[in-house]
Amino acid sequence: MTTRSSTAFLRYGASTRPSSSNLPASSRYVAPLGLHCSSWVPHYQNSVFLSRRPLVTPSLVKRGIHHHKITPVSKVCSDAKTALDLSGLKAGDTVAVGKKIFHNVSETLLNALASSGPDNLTIASLTAGIDSYGLGRLFESGKVKRMIGSYVGENKNFERMFFTGELELELVPQGTISARLRAAGSGMPAIFTPAGAGTMYANGGIPLKYGNDGSVVLVSEPRPTQMFDGKEYVMEYALQPEVSLVKAYKADTRGNLIFRGTSRNSNPDCAVAGKVVLAEAETIVEAGELDPDEVHLSGVYVDHLILATDNEKRIERLRISSAGNVEETSGPRVKIAKRAAKEFKDGMYVNLGIGIPTMTSNYIPEGVHIELQGENGLMGLGPYPDPSIGEMGDCDFTNASKETITAIKGASSFSSSESFSMIRGGHIDLTILGGMECSSSGDLASFFIPGKLLKGMGGAMDLVSSPSVVIVTMEHTARNGSPKILEKCTLPLTGKGVVDRIITDMCVFDCDKKGLRNGGLTLVELASGITVDDVRAATACSFDVADGEIPLMED
């Protein structure tokens, strides 16, 4: 006869047990060890409860399990230092920090770690934060040996420390970090991703450490690659930190967590990966006060919980609109943004990068309805908040440019790993992003000038390797007048053969990235007042010109 373990009644909160007439004859009723309540549970054959308590007859047993009488064990610690001590964190360990936008960070735990934590740490986080706040304070404490991250461009002190050899930096695509964390939490040793294939990221050679004289002393190793259906993928090992630090909007005493808006981001991914997980929350309620359907992260992943006492939650870029109107400006960036907005088609799901791409949302054509995806965890980005109708800047609702935004009706929030699953899985129709250089074959360089400028690839490598249409928006020449559209890029590539169209302040190029027309660029539009000869003079590669009269970008 098949028997069932009584654990089912405890684990799933069953309020009744089978009637005694349905039980095996050998069954008796005992109170399992460690269960301090007045209810009894059935002791079946082969049950996990092997204790032998005094047996009683079914008629003497209380009917059912009254799970509300079981007092759950609280995971709440008195303070951050206590939680860190309990974690067992030691010198040389890896710590994952859930965040992307600077305010969605475990300030309380990070401040305690900066003050009294161990040295020689490796920090895994999507971004490096900003100077003297959150992660920035930890870097300045000198306790970090290496960072694994995707974007560090806002932390000038970090950039200085890297170029002078004070710490190491392993740049990894944003979606890849989240996927590696998620893989670790799922018991998967590795994943394959198209992000970075064919670039220095996969081939090796990206500087990991500089000497104090500015020389490169350590570079990245090549990563394993594999072809699937004719496309190259990079193999990435799972990333399992010894300790993860996560920040939640609300928690219960069992460690169940709720996030708010775009603050979810990489917090769930860090939590599932960590061997030990420390969480801090702005509000903590008793177990049972959260609706199970509200919980974003199960308490099974959380080991210790504290109330957030350092909760500054800075807004880095407070942006507001006036009665929903966008102030008209001029200049090459606005010209590019207005033209790029014409690429929007009704019903599209669109991802916009930082800078000019974000500006395009101000010029969506009338009658066209699109949904904007923020890679930091929101589908359905709305306009900047409008104080005239009672909308205020909210640090839990920001875009990838760290600007305050609103969410449209029907919007949804999600984690970083899910955000990039949407991207890699081909669910985003159009990607618009900026660039430092483009080549005639559709290569893009956008994240790093060795020895001079450090930003990081952010989510760009994931975006350009996805099935979506990729459009690059950038000024045609650099500030010194040198061309940015070249025969071959001179800077490390973000993606190889990935660009479909280039929109500049001078013209529009189509890229034959698949070689269907023998490769190369084709000039398809000109800016007002610009001639083909002007474009040739400002472009460091040959290109074709579309047949017939060349339309104007402004038309």
Side-chain angles (χ1 to χ4, degrees):
M1 175 181 289
T2 301
T3 60
R4 299 170 58 198
S5 167
S6 59
T7 54
F9 298 103
L10 284 176
R11 187 172 298 163
Y12 297 107
S15 58
T16 59
R17 58 170 174 78
S19 65
S20 60
S21 62
N22 295 328
L23 296 177
S26 60
S27 295
R28 297 294 186 270
Y29 293 85
V30 298
L33 288 172
L35 180 62
H36 302 293
C37 67
S38 59
S39 298
W40 299 94
V41 295
H43 182 98
Y44 289 114
Q45 288 176 326
N46 304 320
S47 170
V48 295
F49 299 126
L50 300 179
S51 62
R52 292 302 178 189
R53 301 285 183 92
L55 299 181
V56 295
T57 62
S59 61
L60 298 178
V61 178
K62 291 188 176 182
R63 311 293 287 183
I65 285 196
H66 303 289
H67 57 280
H68 62 278
K69 293 184 179 180
I70 301 173
T71 303
V73 177
S74 173
K75 296 183 179 182
V76 179
C77 296
S78 58
D79 54 45
K81 186 179 185 306
T82 300
L84 286 168
D85 290 343
L86 290 171
S87 74
L89 182 67
K90 62 185 183 302
D93 280 353
T94 296
V95 179
V97 180
K99 71 187 296 287
K100 178 179 187 291
I101 308 304
F102 309 130
H103 51 265
N104 303 330
V105 66
S106 306
E107 296 174 57
T108 312
L109 289 165
L110 283 171
N111 288 342
L113 186 58
S115 298
S116 58
D119 297 328
N120 205 34
L121 298 174
T122 294
I123 298 297
S125 180
L126 299 188
T127 71
I130 56 177
D131 300 358
S132 304
Y133 172 75
L135 268 177
R137 182 177 174 187
L138 181 60
F139 292 129
E140 291 159 16
S141 72
K143 298 181 183 295
V144 178
K145 175 185 177 182
R146 172 178 285 200
M147 179 186 176
I148 302 171
S150 68
Y151 187 78
V152 298
E154 306 298 333
N155 192 324
K156 297 303 180 183
N157 186 59
F158 181 96
E159 186 176 27
R160 178 196 60 77
M161 294 174 71
F162 175 60
F163 282 131
T164 56
E166 296 179 50
L167 52 75
E168 301 171 8
L169 171 63
E170 181 183 347
L171 285 172
V172 180
Q174 192 174 120
T176 297
I177 295 178
S178 297
R180 289 174 62 187
L181 290 165
R182 181 62 63 170
S186 302
M188 299 166 58
I191 59 165
F192 283 95
T193 173
T199 72
M200 184 183 286
Y201 174 76
N203 299 334
I206 294 180
L208 297 175
K209 185 177 182 179
Y210 283 86
N212 55 18
D213 61 352
S215 62
V216 177
V217 297
L218 184 66
V219 298
S220 63
E221 295 290 329
R223 284 171 160 79
T225 60
Q226 181 74 40
M227 299 296 292
F228 294 96
D229 297 326
K231 185 173 181 177
E232 188 177 22
Y233 289 77
V234 181
M235 191 183 85
E236 300 277 3
Y237 291 103
L239 175 57
Q240 185 170 45
E242 279 74 28
V243 175
S244 289
L245 309 181
V246 301
K247 173 73 173 289
Y249 172 65
K250 183 184 289 188
D252 69 14
T253 54
R254 290 296 294 142
N256 295 305
L257 305 183
I258 292 177
F259 305 98
R260 182 171 180 271
T262 54
S263 68
R264 189 181 319 188
N265 204 256
S266 66
N267 280 291
D269 306 318
C270 291
V272 302
K275 295 178 182 178
V276 177
V277 178
L278 310 182
E280 64 177 87
E282 298 174 39
T283 301
I284 300 177
V285 300
E286 291 297 326
E289 292 189 32
L290 300 181
D291 186 319
D293 288 335
E294 291 180 308
V295 173
H296 295 140
L297 183 77
S298 171
V300 70
Y301 297 110
V302 176
D303 295 284
H304 306 291
L305 174 69
I306 67 165
L307 182 66
T309 54
D310 299 335
N311 207 34
E312 186 178 350
K313 297 184 67 173
R314 296 184 187 182
I315 295 178
E316 190 198 358
R317 295 177 181 170
L318 176 62
R319 295 296 301 270
I320 59 175
S321 61
S322 177
N325 296 323
V326 178
E327 183 179 351
E328 284 292 332
T329 59
S330 59
R333 289 166 57 87
V334 172
K335 180 189 295 185
I336 297 168
K338 287 182 176 180
R339 171 56 189 85
K342 295 180 182 180
E343 300 293 329
F344 299 141
K345 302 296 184 290
D346 198 41
M348 275 185 166
Y349 291 94
V350 179
N351 182 285
L352 301 177
I354 295 172
I356 295 175
T358 298
M359 293 171 59
T360 63
S361 62
N362 296 330
Y363 306 104
I364 299 173
E366 188 174 352
V368 173
H369 302 280
I370 64 173
E371 282 205 46
L372 297 177
Q373 189 231 28
E375 64 205 52
N376 55 319
L378 188 68
M379 178 64 76
L381 273 72
Y384 299 134
D386 185 354
S388 69
I389 57 174
E391 295 175 345
M392 304 302 294
D394 187 333
C395 62
D396 286 335
F397 285 86
T398 60
N399 60 22
S401 298
K402 288 83 67 182
E403 299 171 330
T404 50
I405 49 91
T406 58
I408 65 171
K409 292 181 178 180
S412 59
S413 61
F414 34 82
S415 68
S416 180
S417 58
E418 185 173 353
S419 176
F420 284 95
S421 293
M422 295 177 188
I423 292 166
R424 286 189 302 269
H427 305 288
I428 306 301
D429 301 301
L430 174 64
T431 294
I432 302 179
L433 70 168
M436 296 177 181
E437 292 178 347
C438 279
S439 78
S440 60
S441 56
D443 299 343
L444 171 66
S446 64
F447 75 97
F448 187 37
I449 301 177
K452 294 182 180 180
L453 178 65
L454 178 66
K455 287 189 176 294
M457 67 282 287
M461 280 189 175
D462 305 274
L463 286 161
V464 300
S465 65
S466 75
S468 72
V469 173
V470 175
I471 294 176
V472 171
T473 57
M474 64 181 186
E475 295 183 55
H476 205 99
T477 61
R479 292 180 180 178
N480 63 4
S482 60
K484 296 170 70 174
I485 301 175
L486 314 168
E487 192 66 38
K488 289 186 177 181
C489 293
T490 62
L491 298 175
L493 295 184
T494 305
K496 185 176 179 63
V498 295
V499 179
D500 292 287
R501 173 166 281 187
I502 305 170
I503 300 175
T504 77
D505 51 321
M506 296 184 72
C507 68
V508 177
F509 281 125
D510 279 347
C511 294
D512 183 21
K513 66 180 184 182
K514 296 182 179 179
L516 301 178
R517 301 183 302 276
N518 299 318
L521 302 177
T522 301
L523 179 68
V524 295
E525 294 180 29
L526 284 169
S528 178
I530 300 295
T531 67
V532 173
D533 288 339
D534 292 333
V535 176
R536 291 194 190 281
T539 306
C541 65
S542 60
F543 57 85
D544 295 330
V545 179
D547 296 335
E549 184 178 353
I550 305 299
L552 294 178
M553 292 170 54
E554 294 83 0
D555 290 345

